[in-house]
């Protein structure tokens, strides 16, 4: 893509009411637009990042044998009354709306109940299970605080996966497979080394749920890490008895601030029972499937990457989710090499604008594409291009052929 055609421009300043580093950087670089507190639009650059995150997550979900669907945002209150979660005292961040006739509707904040209800149409026998269903869909939550940029939206994209199993063993086996898939997702997205599986509250029959927490001072959580075991415990369940149960030693734990990028919950039969989701077991008796739910916030994840991998000059995208792989900076006409790189299949952002070299470099730093290629009159006449790695600033002068070989 030619940068002259990109309708977003970089900005020197972020809105003064935006306090979070992730949103300030992403707004300045033209990835997102702030509509209001906790509500952000994804612009072309940001949308490309979001789609790449989405595809990585989708690949890992499909590899688990999960089937993708797309559920509705408008929800029937009856389904929520059945589980006791329609009440604002039970769920304090509901957005609700009304039909013309005055009847209330829910605006999706999660989908355990509607999915369990839906599956009463599809699950009859033990032969229909286990079943794994997921979606990548917007959620709406009336969050009290929305000061963390795209990491805490009032409208945000979530991947939510739900499992329906016949036995506790079957449930546990899948639950661990999802934990492994989550590990791969965070590794592929470039924050694997900073992300810890963390014991947290909220499990229904296993006492704990599991969160995936990424080290960052911008995080809203506090966890205690066991570096040797590569696991952690959330402050909310940090008690002497929990430590004993998890065989964690107080003296070796390190306290850190973190961002919850994902979590997985054992739900037992709470929602299947409430929604009348039953299957006939081999003996012909009716049973509710054991459920698990597994969430990842895509904006939360993108915001976390912006927080932890950026530097003083701007964003630093990992190759896997960068909006483009190459940022071609033309200090002279570089359309020939632009066409060549495109033909080779590279995703290239070509800065063909009529602006100064300094401005182009500063913008390139801010946007944070992993490789920058600089084409100037001087290096063209020497048959070379300049290749600079954004993360390390490592610079080399190489020929076009070497460049293509290196990047392939
Ligand atoms: P938190 O404690 O941060 O509010 P949660 O426990 O409410 O998170 P879940 O309801 O389990 O989170 O949602 C699953 C995932 O969705 C979270 O792990 C997080 O990545 C993401 N998420 C939750 N709330 C938001 C939000 N307001 N904005 C963006 N992402 C969110
Ligand atoms: Mg929440």
């Amino acid at each position: 893509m030619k940068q002259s055609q990109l309708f977003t421009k970089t900005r020197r300043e972020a809105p003064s009411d935006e306090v979070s580093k992730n949103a300030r950087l992403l707004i300045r670089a033209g990835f997102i637009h702030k509509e209001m507190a906790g509500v952000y639009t994804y612009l072309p650059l940001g949308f490309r990042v979001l789609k790449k995150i989405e595809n990585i997550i989708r690949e890992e979900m499909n590899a688990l044998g999960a089937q993708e669907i797309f559920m509705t945002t408008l929800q029937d209150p009856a389904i929520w009354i059945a589980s006791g979660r329609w009440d604002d005292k039970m769920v304090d961040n509901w957005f609700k709306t009304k039909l013309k006739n005055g009847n209330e509707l829910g605006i999706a904040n999660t989908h355990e109940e509607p999915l369990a209800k839906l599956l009463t149409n599809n699950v009859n026998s033990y032969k229909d299970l286990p079943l794994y269903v997921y979606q990548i869909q917007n959620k709406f939550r009336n969050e009290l605080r929305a000061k963390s940029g795209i990491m805490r939206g009032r409208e945000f994209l979530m991947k939510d996966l739900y499992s329906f199993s016949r036995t506790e063993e079957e449930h546990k086996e899948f639950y661990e497979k999802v934990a492994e898939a989550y590990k791969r997702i965070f590794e592929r997205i470039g924050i694997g080394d900073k992300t810890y599986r963390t014991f947290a509250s909220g499990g229904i029959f296993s006492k704990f749920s599991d969160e995936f927490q990424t080290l960052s001072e911008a995080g809203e959580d506090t966890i205690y890490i066991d570096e040797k075991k590569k696991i952690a415990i959330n402050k909310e369940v940090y008690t002497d008895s929990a430590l004993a149960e998890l065989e964690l030693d107080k003296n070796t734990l390190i306290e850190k601030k973190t961002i919850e990028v994902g979590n997985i919950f054992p739900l037992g039969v709470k929602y299947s029972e409430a929604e009348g989701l039953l299957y006939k077991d081999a003996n012909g008796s009716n049973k509710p499937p054991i459920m698990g739910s597994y969430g990842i916030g895509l904006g939360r994840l993108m915001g976390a990457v912006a927080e932890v991998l950026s530097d003083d000059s701007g964003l630093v995208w990992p190759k896997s989710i960068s909006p483009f792989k190459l940022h071609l900076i033309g200090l002279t006409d570089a359309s020939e090499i632009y066409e060549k790189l495109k033909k080779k299949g590279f995703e290239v952002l070509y800065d063909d604008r009529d602006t100064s070299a300094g401005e182009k470099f500063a913008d390139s730093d801010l946007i944070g594409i992993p490789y920058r290629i600089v084409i100037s009159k001087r290096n063209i006449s020497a048959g070379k291009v300049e290749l600079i790695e954004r993360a390390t600033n490592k610079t080399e002068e190489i020929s076009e052929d070497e460049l293509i070989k290196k990047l392939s």
Side-chain angles (χ1 to χ4, degrees), residues 58-98:
R58 179 173 287 116
E59 275 176 27
E60 295 293 343
M61 294 298 108
N62 291 345
L64 288 169
Q67 300 177 50
E68 185 169 9
I69 63 169
F70 191 81
M71 296 190 79
T72 65
T73 292
L74 296 179
Q75 298 182 332
D76 181 354
I79 291 174
W80 291 87
I81 290 167
S83 70
R85 288 211 291 180
W86 179 249
D87 195 328
D88 291 336
K89 285 189 214 83
M90 294 302 292
V91 174
D92 63 4
N93 57 17
W94 264 116
F95 279 112
K96 294 175 180 175
T97 188
K98 276 194 182 120

Side-chain angles (χ1 to χ4, degrees), residues 93 141 143 152 300:
N93 57 17
R141 294 184 182 176
E143 304 278 4
R152 185 173 295 286
R300 175 83 59 96

